[in-house]
Amino acid sequence: MPPSFYVGVFLVIFGLIGAFFVYFKYTKEAHKKESEKYQFAKRDWVFIPDINLFVRLAEKSYIMAKIILLLIPLAFAGFGVFLLIATFM
C-alpha cells in the first residue's frame, strides 16, 4: 500500500474520533467555562484576532459553537476520504 493510504486512514480515524469527542464532551457547562476563560480576548482583539472571532461567535449561541467545533475534525475526515479516493483511482 502507498503511504497516502495510511495517511488517509489516519485522517479519517482522527477526524471521526475528534467529532465524537466534541459531540459528546462539549456540553453547556464546558461552553460556559470556555466562554469565561476567553473573555480577555474581547479586550485584546488587536493581539489575538482569530480567537476574538471565535469568542464573539461562540458567545452568541452554544449550538453555533458546537457546529463550528464539529466542522474542524470533520474537515480532517473529509480530506482523508478524498486522499483514500485519490489513492485508488
Side-chain angles (χ1 to χ4, degrees):
M1 288 288 172
S4 60
F5 172 77
Y6 298 112
V7 172
V9 168
F10 172 75
L11 286 174
V12 168
I13 292 171
F14 174 75
L16 292 178
I17 289 173
F20 283 124
F21 183 74
V22 168
Y23 186 75
F24 289 114
K25 293 289 184 178
Y26 192 72
T27 61
K28 288 190 184 243
E29 292 82 22
H31 174 70
K32 189 175 188 181
K33 188 186 299 183
E34 291 293 321
S35 295
E36 291 171 359
K37 186 168 96 175
Y38 287 114
Q39 286 302 317
F40 75 92
K42 290 173 73 176
R43 295 185 308 272
D44 302 334
W45 65 272
V46 174
F47 301 112
I48 311 169
D50 46 344
I51 289 178
N52 184 27
L53 176 66
F54 179 71
V55 167
R56 290 195 185 270
L57 285 173
E59 74 181 359
K60 303 289 184 200
S61 168
Y62 160 72
I63 299 297
M64 189 183 308
K66 194 165 189 174
I67 288 171
I68 291 170
L69 288 174
L70 271 173
L71 288 177
I72 295 168
L74 289 178
F76 281 105
F79 183 70
V81 167
F82 285 128
L83 193 59
L84 288 173
I85 291 171
T87 301
F88 292 114
M89 288 197 127

